[in-house]
Amino acid sequence: MLLDPRWFIVVGAAALAYGSLSPVVAARRLQFLAASLPHGALLATVLGIPLSSATGLPPSLCALTVGIPLTYMVIILVRRGVPEETATSVFVSFTASASIAVIYLVLTRYPSETSLWSYIIGDPLLVTWRDTAYAAAVSAVVVAMTLPFMREHVLLGLDRDSARLTGLRASLYDYMAYTALALAAIGLIRVVGFVLEHVLILLPAAVAINFSKSGAETVYNSVASAVAAGTAGVLLAVVLGQNPSAMVGFLLLAFYLTGLVRGGTG
Amino acid sequence: MTGEIELREVEVKLQEEVIIPRVSLKLEGPGLVTVIGPNGSGKTTLLRTIMGLIKPVHGWVLVNGEDVTGNPEAAGKHIGYVPQLSAFNKGFPITARELVESSLSLRLKPLRLRTPSEIREAAIRALGAVGALDYADKPISSLSGGQLQRVLIARALVWDPPILLLDEPVSAIDPAGKMEMVELIAKLSREKLVLVASHDPGIYARDSKLIVVVNRGIRLAGPPSEVLDPRKLAEVYGDSVMLVEKCVHLVDGHAA
Ligand SMILES: Nc1ncnc2c1ncn2[C@@H]1O[C@H](COP(=O)(O)OP(=O)(O)OP(=O)(O)O)[C@@H](O)[C@H]1O
Ligand SMILES: [Mg+2]
């Protein structure tokens, strides 16, 4: 059996990014955003295709340029007092409809440009070295924006008032968390696929919380479970001839169920 | 240094509704000041305004002479805070000790004042002072309300601030523990300015030098003997004032 190191690099990088992001989402209770973001990421990605051919810039750059401000839209709505569910519904309805419209356009106008399927179901086994370097860079930025600031995010999530009194610039950390989320969702969509993205954002921390007795352990276990599921998922996918994202998803689910059966912490 | 809080013509509106009409007030430490008032009367709003967390539509807030109006970072340099239990989200599994340590180290971060082992010792001392050592290494998500309140008090006093603002800090603590915590709060108020918001003025009455009764503004302020007069309180609280064995109790559904 031939194994390509690039598969492990891209999946490992994605796992590191999602494993670090996941405790931030759990601590800051950003699940509403995490669940709706993949829709925005898909829209940004498919929009990147025509934008790239119009501007000559790389599609990934176009996608990030469109997608990150698009994500801030949800936050601006929530900040203005729109309930999270409403803001999420508006965002999902808009981005889902718009991405289908753009996909239709892309399929009819730019037929051979790229495989849209890989954005939907994830395609880490078809990456080039260029894709690998891009995924690794995205992951490095996401990790750098999350792991070193975990303590700040946890304190802000517990009670924002006390955190602000300790001198934390709350909105700075808000934008950092949202940007990291958008970056991971858009930048790694090709690796993990739109369908599985929100599972990868939510499950590592959910797994970790069941297995951990402290904040430090939770963060460690989140990253560890994501990386373990990622690496084993690629191997399983090769052995079974299946899609790696599906395998990673099943493995994380298995970890989560194991944690539940063990009866939570302890 | 003991603390000093001054409100100058402060007016607070939340979503177009006036919660605090223009008030001026000066509180000087040391000593215990108790803020009482029914649910929704604006106790928490008053505390959050003092801490710069709410920006008044008019007026200034000075803490130890510094203008902290709408500036929590500035206010936080003088004030240790215990939030109301309902404002604290204990979902993430960090331990009590991690909570106290990380709050302290974040506060000291720009100065790098202490080593990790000193921070750890300070956290353990603070948790010991509130009787929370038994569960210092348990995740806060598994603590009872009263246990969590003790930990939150430890977090507020771990860095020895000159002013403490406590929002119903013992509401979930059992009766014996309550007396113990009130004693601790009274002891702290000998050196600091301590402001405590409560539904139950009775438990702090003996130790308070001043009681402030709020209900959409400051309705009454004075020493306990003057303020805890059922007839005067009835004007603020309506009929929900009971006299039980010479001790005023407020019946507002929330009081223990
Ligand atoms: N963020 C907010 N936006 C709008 N209105 C608010 C906000 N926070 C509080 N209020 C309103 O301000 C009023 C005062 O609330 P506050 O929390 O200060 O009362 P409280 O005296 O602390 O009550 P409790 O005893 O229940 O803690 C209430 O009517 C409440 O509905
Ligand atoms: Mg309150």
Side-chain angles (χ1 to χ4, degrees):
Chain A
M1 176 171 63
L2 256 175
L3 295 173
D4 188 324
R6 287 177 293 194
W7 303 342
F8 294 93
I9 298 172
V10 286
V11 173
L16 272 176
Y18 288 116
S20 322
L21 199 53
S22 194
V24 173
V25 170
R28 300 294 307 275
R29 282 164 290 140
L30 289 174
Q31 286 86 351
F32 79 96
L33 186 61
S36 60
L37 256 190
H39 294 276
L42 183 65
L43 173 60
T45 306
V46 290
L47 263 177
I49 298 167
L51 282 179
S52 159
S53 75
T55 59
L57 295 166
S60 47
L61 187 67
C62 296
L64 288 176
T65 318
V66 176
I68 292 177
L70 196 65
T71 310
Y72 293 160
M73 244 176 52
V74 192
I75 298 145
I76 291 165
L77 287 179
V78 173
R79 286 256 165 120
R80 294 225 164 154
V82 178
E84 286 173 1
E85 300 77 36
T86 315
T88 312
S89 312
V90 171
F91 182 75
V92 171
S93 322
F94 169 70
T95 50
S97 317
S99 49
I100 293 174
V102 180
I103 286 175
Y104 184 78
L105 187 88
V106 169
L107 285 177
T108 48
R109 298 264 186 90
Y110 308 83
S112 60
E113 296 271 333
T114 203
S115 160
L116 283 172
W117 273 113
S118 62
Y119 296 129
I120 293 174
I121 64 168
D123 206 347
L125 305 187
L126 290 179
V127 289
T128 62
W129 274 114
R130 213 187 135 89
D131 299 334
T132 310
Y134 174 69
V138 167
S139 163
V141 176
V142 171
V143 171
M145 286 175 84
T146 48
L147 275 191
F149 307 105
M150 210 53 89
R151 178 181 61 184
E152 285 80 352
H153 284 300
V154 170
L155 292 178
L156 278 164
L158 296 175
D159 76 301
R160 196 174 171 89
D161 283 354
S162 303
R164 291 178 66 200
L165 287 168
T166 12
L168 281 189
R169 296 294 200 75
S171 52
L172 180 77
Y173 290 94
D174 290 350
Y175 277 99
M176 201 149 74
Y178 305 146
T179 308
L181 259 169
L183 192 59
I186 300 164
L188 299 168
I189 197 168
R190 172 87 197 277
V191 179
V192 299
F194 156 78
V195 179
L196 203 77
E197 265 193 328
H198 76 273
V199 173
L200 286 175
I201 298 173
L202 297 177
L203 262 191
V207 169
I209 285 170
N210 278 334
F211 280 97
S212 313
K213 290 199 194 81
S214 72
E217 263 186 53
T218 305
V219 175
Y220 176 83
N221 285 335
S222 171
V223 175
S225 63
V227 172
T231 328
V234 172
L235 282 172
L236 257 184
V238 173
V239 171
L240 302 177
Q242 248 294 350
N243 173 293
S245 288
M247 299 299 107
V248 175
F250 278 127
L251 283 170
L252 278 173
L253 176 64
F255 294 167
Y256 181 68
L257 292 176
T258 313
L260 285 187
V261 171
R262 271 175 37 137
T265 41
Chain B
M1 184 197 196
T2 63
E4 188 184 295
I5 294 171
E6 189 180 349
L7 304 185
R8 284 191 197 154
E9 295 184 11
V10 167
E11 177 174 338
V12 176
K13 278 190 189 174
L14 294 174
Q15 287 170 1
E16 300 303 309
E17 196 185 336
V18 177
I19 310 293
I20 304 176
R22 301 235 166 148
V23 298
S24 295
L25 175 75
K26 191 164 179 177
L27 302 171
E28 282 175 32
L32 179 61
V33 176
T34 305
V35 179
I36 62 173
N39 287 129
S41 57
K43 301 182 293 294
T44 301
T45 305
L46 177 66
L47 298 193
R48 295 184 75 232
T49 306
I50 292 172
M51 292 181 290
L53 292 160
I54 295 175
K55 194 168 178 175
V57 292
H58 184 272
W60 300 267
V61 180
L62 286 94
V63 173
N64 287 347
E66 187 182 349
D67 183 357
V68 303
T69 319
N71 184 347
E73 204 176 329
K77 291 189 184 118
H78 310 275
I79 301 174
Y81 175 48
V82 173
Q84 201 169 344
L85 207 50
S86 57
F88 190 89
N89 175 280
K90 56 177 191 171
F92 200 77
I94 93 172
T95 67
R97 198 154 58 81
E98 279 182 314
L99 174 63
V100 177
E101 279 180 14
S102 57
S103 307
L104 178 60
S105 65
L106 202 66
R107 213 167 247 298
L108 302 171
K109 197 167 146 193
L111 304 166
R112 300 220 175 277
L113 280 180
R114 298 188 211 174
T115 64
S117 71
E118 283 172 323
I119 286 174
R120 197 188 157 103
E121 275 163 31
I124 288 177
R125 232 177 302 125
L127 287 163
V130 299
L133 276 183
D134 285 349
Y135 38 87
D137 288 313
K138 279 176 75 174
I140 51 170
S141 41
S142 70
L143 300 185
S144 73
Q147 289 174 327
L148 180 59
Q149 282 187 320
R150 287 171 188 257
V151 173
L152 293 178
I153 296 172
R155 176 181 69 167
L157 49 89
V158 67
W159 58 286
D160 198 23
I163 303 174
L164 286 170
L165 261 55
L166 317 173
D167 199 348
E168 290 168 42
V170 301
S171 59
I173 297 177
D174 54 51
K178 235 179 215 163
M179 295 326 293
E180 194 189 312
M181 284 300 113
V182 171
E183 237 167 71
L184 174 68
I185 291 168
K187 198 174 119 202
L188 291 164
S189 73
R190 278 180 224 141
E191 288 167 10
K192 301 172 191 295
L193 173 59
V194 182
L195 201 66
V196 51
S198 170
H199 288 117
D200 187 358
I203 59 170
Y204 301 104
R206 211 187 47 169
D207 301 296
S208 302
K209 69 167 183 184
L210 185 72
I211 295 195
V212 178
V213 185
V214 300
N215 198 354
R216 301 301 166 102
I218 293 173
R219 306 291 290 269
L220 255 162
S225 55
E226 235 172 69
V227 171
L228 294 182
D229 172 343
R231 269 165 314 172
K232 283 189 180 166
L233 284 179
E235 288 169 26
V236 180
Y237 276 85
D239 293 333
S240 58
V241 183
M242 284 196 312
L243 200 63
V244 184
E245 294 177 21
K246 289 182 208 148
C247 181
V248 175
H249 283 255
L250 302 174
V251 189
D252 61 5
H254 224 81

